[in-house]
Amino acid sequence: MALVNITTENTVITVNGRQIQDWGEAENPVMEEPIDASTTIRRGMGGNAVRLDRKNPGRRVTLSLNPGGADAMYMQALYGSKANITYTRTVIGTLENAVGAEGAIVNDGAIGRAGGSSITDDVFIMEFNSFTTLRGGA
């Protein structure tokens, strides 16, 4: 097994073709998670069950960016214009990647400013109807 480095320096993120690089202070500035379960089990009172497999459970992607930067301004412009969103993630040195399409920025995060010692990242939450990912470098 090889040692791979999956830090932000070795991860290429694009949103609508623009490479995002100005990451905030969040421990994980890029988060991808399912919107819905890929499979649902419905159990009946008689002991039988049925299974529902979603063709596409959708995916939520959250980006935490450095406030006041060009990348945050770009994402804010996309959010304000209600643009359709495409997203890619590629980890250099592995075969891990993700592609999201049919997406939108559905919300932004809490904004913390004017504090004594810290300010919050600019957070943008995207959801995608179409999302494919390859994990594990396989």
Side-chain angles (χ1 to χ4, degrees), residues 19-63:
Q19 185 175 350
I20 304 298
Q21 300 178 10
D22 196 9
W23 303 109
E25 292 183 336
E27 173 116 7
N28 293 305
V30 179
M31 295 289 293
E32 299 170 3
E33 61 185 319
I35 296 172
D36 300 307
S38 62
T39 299
T40 301
I41 302 292
R42 181 180 179 272
R43 298 180 301 127
M45 297 295 283
N48 292 323
V50 294
R51 174 182 176 144
L52 168 67
D53 292 327
R54 283 189 185 273
K55 185 173 184 178
N56 185 356
R59 207 83 173 151
R60 180 176 297 117
V61 176
T62 302
L63 301 182

mmCIF file of all heavy atoms in Angstrom, residues 19-63:
data_model
loop_
_atom_site.group_PDB
_atom_site.id
_atom_site.type_symbol
_atom_site.label_atom_id
_atom_site.label_comp_id
_atom_site.label_asym_id
_atom_site.label_seq_id
_atom_site.Cartn_x
_atom_site.Cartn_y
_atom_site.Cartn_z
ATOM 1 N N GLN A 19 -11.333 26.752 -10.762
ATOM 2 C CA GLN A 19 -10.655 26.034 -9.684
ATOM 3 C C GLN A 19 -10.749 26.858 -8.398
ATOM 4 O O GLN A 19 -10.420 28.040 -8.378
ATOM 5 C CB GLN A 19 -9.194 25.773 -10.025
ATOM 6 C CG GLN A 19 -8.507 24.925 -8.973
ATOM 7 C CD GLN A 19 -7.090 24.545 -9.360
ATOM 8 O OE1 GLN A 19 -6.661 24.743 -10.489
ATOM 9 N NE2 GLN A 19 -6.369 23.982 -8.416
ATOM 10 N N ILE A 20 -11.217 26.211 -7.336
ATOM 11 C CA ILE A 20 -11.363 26.847 -6.027
ATOM 12 C C ILE A 20 -10.116 26.518 -5.209
ATOM 13 O O ILE A 20 -9.760 25.341 -5.065
ATOM 14 C CB ILE A 20 -12.640 26.356 -5.310
ATOM 15 C CG1 ILE A 20 -13.886 26.590 -6.183
ATOM 16 C CG2 ILE A 20 -12.778 26.998 -3.939
ATOM 17 C CD1 ILE A 20 -14.183 28.031 -6.510
ATOM 18 N N GLN A 21 -9.461 27.551 -4.657
ATOM 19 C CA GLN A 21 -8.203 27.330 -3.941
ATOM 20 C C GLN A 21 -8.094 28.063 -2.614
ATOM 21 O O GLN A 21 -7.219 27.754 -1.813
ATOM 22 C CB GLN A 21 -7.025 27.765 -4.820
ATOM 23 C CG GLN A 21 -6.929 27.019 -6.112
ATOM 24 C CD GLN A 21 -5.775 27.527 -6.970
ATOM 25 O OE1 GLN A 21 -4.943 28.310 -6.535
ATOM 26 N NE2 GLN A 21 -5.722 27.059 -8.194
ATOM 27 N N ASP A 22 -8.939 29.054 -2.361
ATOM 28 C CA ASP A 22 -8.794 29.900 -1.178
ATOM 29 C C ASP A 22 -9.622 29.348 -0.016
ATOM 30 O O ASP A 22 -10.675 29.872 0.320
ATOM 31 C CB ASP A 22 -9.203 31.340 -1.521
ATOM 32 C CG ASP A 22 -8.727 32.340 -0.480
ATOM 33 O OD1 ASP A 22 -7.940 31.959 0.412
ATOM 34 O OD2 ASP A 22 -9.147 33.506 -0.553
ATOM 35 N N TRP A 23 -9.118 28.260 0.594
ATOM 36 C CA TRP A 23 -9.855 27.535 1.623
ATOM 37 C C TRP A 23 -9.853 28.285 2.949
ATOM 38 O O TRP A 23 -8.904 28.977 3.289
ATOM 39 C CB TRP A 23 -9.270 26.132 1.801
ATOM 40 C CG TRP A 23 -9.288 25.395 0.509
ATOM 41 C CD1 TRP A 23 -8.225 25.059 -0.268
ATOM 42 C CD2 TRP A 23 -10.450 24.954 -0.199
ATOM 43 N NE1 TRP A 23 -8.647 24.435 -1.411
ATOM 44 C CE2 TRP A 23 -10.012 24.353 -1.398
ATOM 45 C CE3 TRP A 23 -11.813 25.016 0.051
ATOM 46 C CZ2 TRP A 23 -10.895 23.817 -2.326
ATOM 47 C CZ3 TRP A 23 -12.689 24.474 -0.875
ATOM 48 C CH2 TRP A 23 -12.227 23.883 -2.046
ATOM 49 N N GLY A 24 -10.920 28.088 3.703
ATOM 50 C CA GLY A 24 -11.038 28.691 5.024
ATOM 51 C C GLY A 24 -10.339 27.849 6.080
ATOM 52 O O GLY A 24 -9.488 27.008 5.787
ATOM 53 N N GLU A 25 -10.722 28.068 7.331
ATOM 54 C CA GLU A 25 -10.084 27.402 8.458
ATOM 55 C C GLU A 25 -10.780 26.123 8.905
ATOM 56 O O GLU A 25 -10.317 25.475 9.834
ATOM 57 C CB GLU A 25 -10.013 28.355 9.654
ATOM 58 C CG GLU A 25 -9.065 29.512 9.443
ATOM 59 C CD GLU A 25 -8.954 30.398 10.669
ATOM 60 O OE1 GLU A 25 -9.894 30.408 11.495
ATOM 61 O OE2 GLU A 25 -7.926 31.063 10.806
ATOM 62 N N ALA A 26 -11.884 25.746 8.288
ATOM 63 C CA ALA A 26 -12.603 24.538 8.696
ATOM 64 C C ALA A 26 -11.687 23.324 8.627
ATOM 65 O O ALA A 26 -10.836 23.227 7.744
ATOM 66 C CB ALA A 26 -13.825 24.309 7.806
ATOM 67 N N GLU A 27 -11.854 22.413 9.565
ATOM 68 C CA GLU A 27 -11.042 21.197 9.584
ATOM 69 C C GLU A 27 -11.131 20.441 8.264
ATOM 70 O O GLU A 27 -10.153 19.942 7.750
ATOM 71 C CB GLU A 27 -11.501 20.292 10.720
ATOM 72 C CG GLU A 27 -10.837 18.947 10.706
ATOM 73 C CD GLU A 27 -9.980 18.693 11.907
ATOM 74 O OE1 GLU A 27 -9.983 19.487 12.839
ATOM 75 O OE2 GLU A 27 -9.306 17.670 11.890
ATOM 76 N N ASN A 28 -12.336 20.356 7.717
ATOM 77 C CA ASN A 28 -12.573 19.756 6.405
ATOM 78 C C ASN A 28 -13.261 20.800 5.535
ATOM 79 O O ASN A 28 -14.479 20.917 5.557
ATOM 80 C CB ASN A 28 -13.460 18.507 6.518
ATOM 81 C CG ASN A 28 -12.768 17.396 7.249
ATOM 82 O OD1 ASN A 28 -11.675 16.994 6.887
ATOM 83 N ND2 ASN A 28 -13.394 16.913 8.310
ATOM 84 N N PRO A 29 -12.496 21.574 4.747
ATOM 85 C CA PRO A 29 -13.117 22.644 3.970
ATOM 86 C C PRO A 29 -13.975 22.140 2.814
ATOM 87 O O PRO A 29 -14.713 22.913 2.228
ATOM 88 C CB PRO A 29 -11.922 23.456 3.464
ATOM 89 C CG PRO A 29 -10.781 22.511 3.479
ATOM 90 C CD PRO A 29 -11.042 21.551 4.595
ATOM 91 N N VAL A 30 -13.876 20.847 2.483
ATOM 92 C CA VAL A 30 -14.710 20.239 1.452
ATOM 93 C C VAL A 30 -15.409 19.037 2.073
ATOM 94 O O VAL A 30 -14.761 18.112 2.555
ATOM 95 C CB VAL A 30 -13.866 19.768 0.242
ATOM 96 C CG1 VAL A 30 -14.752 19.127 -0.813
ATOM 97 C CG2 VAL A 30 -13.057 20.904 -0.338
ATOM 98 N N MET A 31 -16.743 19.072 2.077
ATOM 99 C CA MET A 31 -17.527 17.952 2.616
ATOM 100 C C MET A 31 -18.527 17.503 1.560
ATOM 101 O O MET A 31 -19.218 18.335 0.975
ATOM 102 C CB MET A 31 -18.282 18.372 3.879
ATOM 103 C CG MET A 31 -17.392 18.737 5.049
ATOM 104 S SD MET A 31 -16.570 17.325 5.774
ATOM 105 C CE MET A 31 -17.937 16.432 6.454
ATOM 106 N N GLU A 32 -18.595 16.192 1.327
ATOM 107 C CA GLU A 32 -19.590 15.604 0.421
ATOM 108 C C GLU A 32 -20.373 14.584 1.218
ATOM 109 O O GLU A 32 -19.783 13.750 1.914
ATOM 110 C CB GLU A 32 -18.900 14.920 -0.760
ATOM 111 C CG GLU A 32 -18.078 15.853 -1.612
ATOM 112 C CD GLU A 32 -17.215 15.125 -2.640
ATOM 113 O OE1 GLU A 32 -17.285 13.879 -2.742
ATOM 114 O OE2 GLU A 32 -16.463 15.811 -3.337
ATOM 115 N N GLU A 33 -21.702 14.658 1.128
ATOM 116 C CA GLU A 33 -22.545 13.740 1.889
ATOM 117 C C GLU A 33 -23.823 13.455 1.113
ATOM 118 O O GLU A 33 -24.265 14.272 0.312
ATOM 119 C CB GLU A 33 -22.881 14.326 3.262
ATOM 120 C CG GLU A 33 -23.639 15.641 3.180
ATOM 121 C CD GLU A 33 -23.869 16.282 4.531
ATOM 122 O OE1 GLU A 33 -24.188 15.565 5.496
ATOM 123 O OE2 GLU A 33 -23.749 17.512 4.616
ATOM 124 N N PRO A 34 -24.440 12.287 1.350
ATOM 125 C CA PRO A 34 -25.690 11.982 0.651
ATOM 126 C C PRO A 34 -26.830 12.874 1.139
ATOM 127 O O PRO A 34 -26.844 13.297 2.289
ATOM 128 C CB PRO A 34 -25.956 10.514 1.007
ATOM 129 C CG PRO A 34 -25.170 10.262 2.239
ATOM 130 C CD PRO A 34 -24.006 11.204 2.230
ATOM 131 N N ILE A 35 -27.764 13.151 0.233
ATOM 132 C CA ILE A 35 -28.982 13.863 0.608
ATOM 133 C C ILE A 35 -29.999 12.853 1.145
ATOM 134 O O ILE A 35 -30.580 13.051 2.199
ATOM 135 C CB ILE A 35 -29.569 14.644 -0.588
ATOM 136 C CG1 ILE A 35 -28.586 15.731 -1.034
ATOM 137 C CG2 ILE A 35 -30.920 15.256 -0.230
ATOM 138 C CD1 ILE A 35 -28.976 16.423 -2.325
ATOM 139 N N ASP A 36 -30.210 11.781 0.409
ATOM 140 C CA ASP A 36 -31.160 10.739 0.795
ATOM 141 C C ASP A 36 -30.438 9.399 0.894
ATOM 142 O O ASP A 36 -29.389 9.202 0.275
ATOM 143 C CB ASP A 36 -32.274 10.608 -0.261
ATOM 144 C CG ASP A 36 -33.064 11.892 -0.430
ATOM 145 O OD1 ASP A 36 -33.549 12.423 0.577
ATOM 146 O OD2 ASP A 36 -33.187 12.358 -1.580
ATOM 147 N N ALA A 37 -31.023 8.483 1.620
ATOM 148 C CA ALA A 37 -30.474 7.129 1.687
ATOM 149 C C ALA A 37 -30.564 6.477 0.313
ATOM 150 O O ALA A 37 -31.527 6.690 -0.423
ATOM 151 C CB ALA A 37 -31.240 6.298 2.712
ATOM 152 N N SER A 38 -29.562 5.678 -0.043
ATOM 153 C CA SER A 38 -29.598 5.017 -1.353
ATOM 154 C C SER A 38 -30.574 3.845 -1.359
ATOM 155 O O SER A 38 -31.078 3.470 -2.407
ATOM 156 C CB SER A 38 -28.209 4.554 -1.764
ATOM 157 O OG SER A 38 -27.718 3.613 -0.840
ATOM 158 N N THR A 39 -30.849 3.281 -0.194
ATOM 159 C CA THR A 39 -31.805 2.179 -0.062
ATOM 160 C C THR A 39 -32.651 2.403 1.176
ATOM 161 O O THR A 39 -32.136 2.808 2.216
ATOM 162 C CB THR A 39 -31.073 0.829 0.059
ATOM 163 O OG1 THR A 39 -30.301 0.613 -1.127
ATOM 164 C CG2 THR A 39 -32.040 -0.331 0.235
ATOM 165 N N THR A 40 -33.945 2.137 1.059
ATOM 166 C CA THR A 40 -34.861 2.210 2.194
ATOM 167 C C THR A 40 -35.538 0.851 2.355
ATOM 168 O O THR A 40 -35.982 0.258 1.368
ATOM 169 C CB THR A 40 -35.927 3.295 1.976
ATOM 170 O OG1 THR A 40 -35.272 4.551 1.788
ATOM 171 C CG2 THR A 40 -36.887 3.392 3.149
ATOM 172 N N ILE A 41 -35.603 0.378 3.580
ATOM 173 C CA ILE A 41 -36.300 -0.871 3.896
ATOM 174 C C ILE A 41 -37.592 -0.519 4.624
ATOM 175 O O ILE A 41 -37.588 0.224 5.608
ATOM 176 C CB ILE A 41 -35.435 -1.789 4.795
ATOM 177 C CG1 ILE A 41 -34.102 -2.113 4.132
ATOM 178 C CG2 ILE A 41 -36.202 -3.035 5.196
ATOM 179 C CD1 ILE A 41 -34.207 -2.987 2.914
ATOM 180 N N ARG A 42 -38.717 -1.044 4.135
ATOM 181 C CA ARG A 42 -40.016 -0.862 4.796
ATOM 182 C C ARG A 42 -40.443 -2.213 5.342
ATOM 183 O O ARG A 42 -40.655 -3.163 4.591
ATOM 184 C CB ARG A 42 -41.057 -0.339 3.822
ATOM 185 C CG ARG A 42 -42.406 -0.114 4.462
ATOM 186 C CD ARG A 42 -43.404 0.404 3.425
ATOM 187 N NE ARG A 42 -44.691 0.603 3.995
ATOM 188 C CZ ARG A 42 -45.649 -0.330 4.075
ATOM 189 N NH1 ARG A 42 -45.426 -1.537 3.615
ATOM 190 N NH2 ARG A 42 -46.815 -0.046 4.606
ATOM 191 N N ARG A 43 -40.536 -2.278 6.653
ATOM 192 C CA ARG A 43 -40.903 -3.542 7.295
ATOM 193 C C ARG A 43 -42.375 -3.521 7.672
ATOM 194 O O ARG A 43 -42.855 -2.580 8.281
ATOM 195 C CB ARG A 43 -40.049 -3.767 8.546
ATOM 196 C CG ARG A 43 -38.565 -3.883 8.190
ATOM 197 C CD ARG A 43 -37.662 -4.100 9.384
ATOM 198 N NE ARG A 43 -37.801 -3.009 10.331
ATOM 199 C CZ ARG A 43 -38.068 -3.185 11.620
ATOM 200 N NH1 ARG A 43 -38.222 -4.383 12.127
ATOM 201 N NH2 ARG A 43 -38.179 -2.134 12.417
ATOM 202 N N GLY A 44 -43.078 -4.557 7.281
ATOM 203 C CA GLY A 44 -44.504 -4.660 7.576
ATOM 204 C C GLY A 44 -44.752 -5.356 8.906
ATOM 205 O O GLY A 44 -43.882 -6.012 9.471
ATOM 206 N N MET A 45 -45.987 -5.241 9.409
ATOM 207 C CA MET A 45 -46.381 -5.856 10.677
ATOM 208 C C MET A 45 -46.379 -7.382 10.604
ATOM 209 O O MET A 45 -46.213 -8.048 11.613
ATOM 210 C CB MET A 45 -47.768 -5.358 11.098
ATOM 211 C CG MET A 45 -47.819 -3.861 11.357
ATOM 212 S SD MET A 45 -46.811 -3.345 12.742
ATOM 213 C CE MET A 45 -47.835 -3.837 14.100
ATOM 214 N N GLY A 46 -46.537 -7.926 9.401
ATOM 215 C CA GLY A 46 -46.586 -9.375 9.241
ATOM 216 C C GLY A 46 -45.212 -10.036 9.158
ATOM 217 O O GLY A 46 -45.106 -11.245 8.988
ATOM 218 N N GLY A 47 -44.135 -9.245 9.230
ATOM 219 C CA GLY A 47 -42.793 -9.811 9.213
ATOM 220 C C GLY A 47 -42.091 -9.719 7.866
ATOM 221 O O GLY A 47 -40.903 -9.978 7.774
ATOM 222 N N ASN A 48 -42.814 -9.352 6.817
ATOM 223 C CA ASN A 48 -42.184 -9.192 5.512
ATOM 224 C C ASN A 48 -41.671 -7.759 5.353
ATOM 225 O O ASN A 48 -42.016 -6.876 6.131
ATOM 226 C CB ASN A 48 -43.174 -9.517 4.387
ATOM 227 C CG ASN A 48 -43.515 -10.992 4.374
ATOM 228 O OD1 ASN A 48 -42.662 -11.836 4.629
ATOM 229 N ND2 ASN A 48 -44.776 -11.307 4.098
ATOM 230 N N ALA A 49 -40.874 -7.570 4.340
ATOM 231 C CA ALA A 49 -40.316 -6.239 4.084
ATOM 232 C C ALA A 49 -40.232 -5.999 2.584
ATOM 233 O O ALA A 49 -40.219 -6.945 1.786
ATOM 234 C CB ALA A 49 -38.928 -6.119 4.715
ATOM 235 N N VAL A 50 -40.186 -4.752 2.214
ATOM 236 C CA VAL A 50 -39.942 -4.370 0.824
ATOM 237 C C VAL A 50 -38.754 -3.418 0.820
ATOM 238 O O VAL A 50 -38.474 -2.730 1.797
ATOM 239 C CB VAL A 50 -41.172 -3.711 0.156
ATOM 240 C CG1 VAL A 50 -42.302 -4.695 0.019
ATOM 241 C CG2 VAL A 50 -41.622 -2.485 0.921
ATOM 242 N N ARG A 51 -38.087 -3.394 -0.296
ATOM 243 C CA ARG A 51 -36.882 -2.589 -0.444
ATOM 244 C C ARG A 51 -37.094 -1.573 -1.562
ATOM 245 O O ARG A 51 -37.576 -1.911 -2.637
ATOM 246 C CB ARG A 51 -35.719 -3.516 -0.772
ATOM 247 C CG ARG A 51 -34.438 -2.816 -1.091
ATOM 248 C CD ARG A 51 -33.366 -3.829 -1.437
ATOM 249 N NE ARG A 51 -32.158 -3.147 -1.830
ATOM 250 C CZ ARG A 51 -30.946 -3.574 -1.551
ATOM 251 N NH1 ARG A 51 -30.788 -4.708 -0.894
ATOM 252 N NH2 ARG A 51 -29.904 -2.900 -1.936
ATOM 253 N N LEU A 52 -36.706 -0.334 -1.297
ATOM 254 C CA LEU A 52 -36.750 0.727 -2.295
ATOM 255 C C LEU A 52 -35.312 1.187 -2.535
ATOM 256 O O LEU A 52 -34.643 1.662 -1.622
ATOM 257 C CB LEU A 52 -37.586 1.909 -1.805
ATOM 258 C CG LEU A 52 -37.491 3.192 -2.629
ATOM 259 C CD1 LEU A 52 -38.109 2.999 -4.006
ATOM 260 C CD2 LEU A 52 -38.137 4.346 -1.907
ATOM 261 N N ASP A 53 -34.843 0.997 -3.755
ATOM 262 C CA ASP A 53 -33.516 1.473 -4.139
ATOM 263 C C ASP A 53 -33.685 2.748 -4.953
ATOM 264 O O ASP A 53 -34.359 2.742 -5.979
ATOM 265 C CB ASP A 53 -32.768 0.430 -4.977
ATOM 266 C CG ASP A 53 -32.398 -0.796 -4.180
ATOM 267 O OD1 ASP A 53 -32.122 -0.659 -2.973
ATOM 268 O OD2 ASP A 53 -32.387 -1.899 -4.757
ATOM 269 N N ARG A 54 -33.065 3.812 -4.499
ATOM 270 C CA ARG A 54 -33.119 5.065 -5.246
ATOM 271 C C ARG A 54 -32.162 4.975 -6.418
ATOM 272 O O ARG A 54 -31.026 4.544 -6.276
ATOM 273 C CB ARG A 54 -32.697 6.239 -4.373
ATOM 274 C CG ARG A 54 -33.740 6.667 -3.418
ATOM 275 C CD ARG A 54 -33.287 7.988 -2.754
ATOM 276 N NE ARG A 54 -34.225 8.368 -1.738
ATOM 277 C CZ ARG A 54 -35.311 9.088 -1.958
ATOM 278 N NH1 ARG A 54 -35.570 9.514 -3.167
ATOM 279 N NH2 ARG A 54 -36.127 9.390 -0.981
ATOM 280 N N LYS A 55 -32.618 5.415 -7.565
ATOM 281 C CA LYS A 55 -31.744 5.448 -8.733
ATOM 282 C C LYS A 55 -30.619 6.444 -8.513
ATOM 283 O O LYS A 55 -29.477 6.215 -8.900
ATOM 284 C CB LYS A 55 -32.560 5.816 -9.982
ATOM 285 C CG LYS A 55 -31.773 5.766 -11.252
ATOM 286 C CD LYS A 55 -32.666 5.970 -12.448
ATOM 287 C CE LYS A 55 -31.883 5.825 -13.732
ATOM 288 N NZ LYS A 55 -32.722 5.979 -14.900
ATOM 289 N N ASN A 56 -30.940 7.564 -7.870
ATOM 290 C CA ASN A 56 -29.939 8.576 -7.588
ATOM 291 C C ASN A 56 -30.306 9.274 -6.275
ATOM 292 O O ASN A 56 -31.233 10.069 -6.244
ATOM 293 C CB ASN A 56 -29.878 9.594 -8.731
ATOM 294 C CG ASN A 56 -28.761 10.585 -8.534
ATOM 295 O OD1 ASN A 56 -28.069 10.565 -7.524
ATOM 296 N ND2 ASN A 56 -28.587 11.458 -9.483
ATOM 297 N N PRO A 57 -29.559 8.993 -5.193
ATOM 298 C CA PRO A 57 -29.904 9.605 -3.907
ATOM 299 C C PRO A 57 -29.490 11.061 -3.765
ATOM 300 O O PRO A 57 -29.818 11.711 -2.787
ATOM 301 C CB PRO A 57 -29.149 8.740 -2.892
ATOM 302 C CG PRO A 57 -28.023 8.151 -3.651
ATOM 303 C CD PRO A 57 -28.499 8.001 -5.071
ATOM 304 N N GLY A 58 -28.782 11.605 -4.755
ATOM 305 C CA GLY A 58 -28.340 12.996 -4.684
ATOM 306 C C GLY A 58 -27.186 13.172 -3.708
ATOM 307 O O GLY A 58 -26.876 12.293 -2.910
ATOM 308 N N ARG A 59 -26.548 14.313 -3.799
ATOM 309 C CA ARG A 59 -25.373 14.571 -2.959
ATOM 310 C C ARG A 59 -25.342 16.037 -2.566
ATOM 311 O O ARG A 59 -25.712 16.924 -3.344
ATOM 312 C CB ARG A 59 -24.118 14.225 -3.752
ATOM 313 C CG ARG A 59 -22.951 13.835 -2.931
ATOM 314 C CD ARG A 59 -23.053 12.376 -2.555
ATOM 315 N NE ARG A 59 -21.824 11.973 -1.896
ATOM 316 C CZ ARG A 59 -21.765 11.026 -1.002
ATOM 317 N NH1 ARG A 59 -22.831 10.361 -0.673
ATOM 318 N NH2 ARG A 59 -20.637 10.722 -0.441
ATOM 319 N N ARG A 60 -24.916 16.289 -1.334
ATOM 320 C CA ARG A 60 -24.740 17.653 -0.820
ATOM 321 C C ARG A 60 -23.236 17.894 -0.675
ATOM 322 O O ARG A 60 -22.518 17.070 -0.121
ATOM 323 C CB ARG A 60 -25.419 17.792 0.536
ATOM 324 C CG ARG A 60 -25.302 19.166 1.168
ATOM 325 C CD ARG A 60 -26.089 19.245 2.478
ATOM 326 N NE ARG A 60 -27.507 19.049 2.209
ATOM 327 C CZ ARG A 60 -28.228 18.020 2.686
ATOM 328 N NH1 ARG A 60 -27.683 17.090 3.442
ATOM 329 N NH2 ARG A 60 -29.520 17.915 2.388
ATOM 330 N N VAL A 61 -22.778 19.038 -1.167
ATOM 331 C CA VAL A 61 -21.366 19.414 -1.067
ATOM 332 C C VAL A 61 -21.303 20.764 -0.350
ATOM 333 O O VAL A 61 -21.997 21.706 -0.727
ATOM 334 C CB VAL A 61 -20.705 19.520 -2.459
ATOM 335 C CG1 VAL A 61 -19.269 20.001 -2.337
ATOM 336 C CG2 VAL A 61 -20.777 18.188 -3.190
ATOM 337 N N THR A 62 -20.457 20.830 0.683
ATOM 338 C CA THR A 62 -20.276 22.061 1.442
ATOM 339 C C THR A 62 -18.827 22.519 1.298
ATOM 340 O O THR A 62 -17.905 21.745 1.534
ATOM 341 C CB THR A 62 -20.603 21.828 2.940
ATOM 342 O OG1 THR A 62 -21.942 21.349 3.045
ATOM 343 C CG2 THR A 62 -20.464 23.110 3.735
ATOM 344 N N LEU A 63 -18.657 23.772 0.877
ATOM 345 C CA LEU A 63 -17.326 24.365 0.745
ATOM 346 C C LEU A 63 -17.175 25.474 1.772
ATOM 347 O O LEU A 63 -18.064 26.326 1.909
ATOM 348 C CB LEU A 63 -17.118 24.953 -0.650
ATOM 349 C CG LEU A 63 -17.243 24.011 -1.851
ATOM 350 C CD1 LEU A 63 -16.960 24.765 -3.142
ATOM 351 C CD2 LEU A 63 -16.306 22.821 -1.704
#
